[in-house]
Amino acid sequence: MVNLFGEEELDVTRSILRQKFIEPPFSILDTRQAGWQERKRTWKQLGIRPEIVNNNNTKTFNISEWASEKADKDMPAISIFDPALCEVIYKWFCPDGGSILDPFAGGAVRGIVANFMGYRYTGIDIRQEQIDDNRNQALDILPVDNQPQWYVGDSLYELDRFQEESFDMIFSCPPYMDLEVYSDLKGDLSNMTHKDFLGAYGSIIYKACQRLKPGGYACFVVGEVRDKKGYFCGLVPSTIISFARAGLGYYNEIILVTPTGTAAIRADGSMKNKKIVRTHQNILVFKKGV
């Protein structure tokens, strides 16, 4: 029976959309839902391991579930990008069997999920130890003849090895400025000043977009970061501006609602300075003209 608000009909519609798109293609993705968490657990059961602790032993925040407050000293020392999010974004924005470019690769998740689903993933990361771990993970999970391709180096230069307009999609989660310092390597955006970060970040986005085929989509998972005075640094608008300068149009914005975690505990202290605890991230989607 359908009530006055048509709830039964809405449930049926959502079920049909999930069968076709994994998740209903709405502007909000709620990762706290039971179905989402079950898909995430299923992906993890393949044997996907968290991102390794970086070589200077700096703590690694959980990039797929954190709220942008650096003051939380109880954040986990390892992280894993949400594989269920990869599954949805690839399904929505990459053609079947398409090629995916990730200029800020980090851990192995995005590559393993891509190749497992029949896509062809290429990722770049500046840390040799991270790439070595990624390759070992992929060999444990995927056939030898279906391996993601990872390259070690600064994306600003490594992107030059690829032909222009050779990838169907760009998908990445860049460093959130200096919220977490991954290494002390030259070219690592996470150890740069905010000014230098934005310059290098924009240049990498520009080069990556040159490698995207006309009509292709670029999806970046980003969130805001506070400076030492407590103000947002503007990472989200800076990302939008960088893609516009690269010639891509701002096509979709998706709000990724993340698990509350320690947010409830931190909220009281945070509000003493009138800071709202963030329990979401932004997925910015851009399209290259044909």
Side-chain angles (χ1 to χ4, degrees):
M1 179 180 296
V2 179
N3 65 19
L4 290 174
F5 302 99
E7 289 178 351
E8 182 177 316
E9 182 178 347
L10 286 175
D11 288 342
V12 171
T13 301
R14 288 192 180 97
S15 178
I16 294 172
L17 288 172
R18 284 192 170 92
Q19 291 176 24
K20 188 173 182 179
F21 301 108
I22 303 177
E23 283 289 325
F26 300 156
S27 61
I28 294 178
L29 288 174
D30 189 352
T31 71
R32 299 172 301 185
Q33 297 299 315
W36 187 287
Q37 290 297 316
E38 180 59 33
R39 287 204 325 277
K40 185 175 179 180
R41 283 190 292 271
T42 300
W43 278 109
K44 285 184 175 182
Q45 288 171 2
L46 289 177
I48 297 174
R49 299 192 298 272
E51 186 172 349
I52 64 172
V53 175
N54 43 51
N55 56 16
N56 61 4
N57 293 320
T58 304
K59 277 191 175 182
T60 303
F61 297 157
N62 189 322
I63 296 300
S64 64
E65 296 181 359
W66 66 292
S68 59
E69 296 293 339
K70 199 171 184 177
D72 185 359
K73 297 180 180 179
D74 295 323
M75 296 295 283
I78 52 179
S79 65
I80 181 169
F81 193 85
D82 190 335
L85 176 60
C86 299
E87 179 185 17
V88 170
I89 295 300
Y90 294 155
K91 176 69 173 179
W92 286 5
F93 298 109
C94 192
D96 291 345
S99 55
I100 298 164
L101 175 63
D102 185 349
F104 304 105
V109 176
R110 293 194 290 275
I112 289 174
V113 173
N115 279 53
F116 189 93
M117 293 179 66
Y119 303 103
R120 292 169 287 114
Y121 172 95
T122 298
I124 305 169
D125 194 87
I126 202 166
R127 292 181 295 157
Q128 180 71 59
E129 68 273 20
Q130 182 62 67
I131 296 301
D132 290 343
D133 188 70
N134 290 357
R135 290 168 176 163
N136 288 334
Q137 283 196 55
L139 285 169
D140 289 340
I141 297 172
L142 298 168
V144 175
D145 61 353
N146 183 28
Q147 292 292 302
Q149 298 300 305
W150 282 287
Y151 294 85
V152 181
D154 184 343
S155 285
L156 189 59
Y157 306 105
E158 289 299 314
L159 285 167
D160 291 337
R161 71 168 63 236
F162 306 110
Q163 292 183 352
E164 293 188 5
E165 300 184 349
S166 56
F167 288 91
D168 295 294
M169 179 189 180
I170 298 170
F171 182 50
S172 200
C173 180
Y176 285 26
M177 293 190 163
D178 60 354
L179 180 68
E180 173 193 6
V181 177
Y182 290 93
S183 75
D184 57 4
L185 295 170
K186 182 180 179 180
D188 187 335
L189 271 65
S190 70
N191 65 39
M192 296 181 180
T193 65
H194 289 179
K195 180 179 179 180
D196 290 342
F197 174 98
L198 291 175
Y201 181 54
S203 296
I204 290 170
I205 287 175
Y206 184 85
K207 280 195 173 183
C209 290
Q210 288 181 313
R211 273 89 194 142
L212 183 64
K213 294 178 181 178
Y217 295 91
C219 306
F220 264 39
V221 181
V222 296
E224 282 299 349
V225 182
R226 296 187 186 275
D227 63 18
K228 293 180 180 179
K229 294 182 180 180
Y231 295 100
F232 281 145
C233 298
L235 181 56
V236 171
S238 294
T239 302
I240 296 171
I241 291 170
S242 293
F243 274 99
R245 288 174 175 168
L248 271 66
Y250 186 21
Y251 205 71
N252 290 304
E253 180 193 40
I254 302 165
I255 301 301
L256 183 70
V257 181
T258 52
T260 303
T262 62
I265 299 173
R266 292 182 285 115
D268 183 57
S270 180
M271 278 301 290
K272 293 177 182 178
N273 294 313
K274 306 304 180 186
K275 294 180 182 177
I276 304 300
V277 177
R278 291 172 63 87
T279 57
H280 77 278
Q281 294 179 81
N282 301 75
I283 304 173
L284 307 177
V285 183
F286 306 89
K287 184 177 181 180
K288 189 171 186 176
V290 295

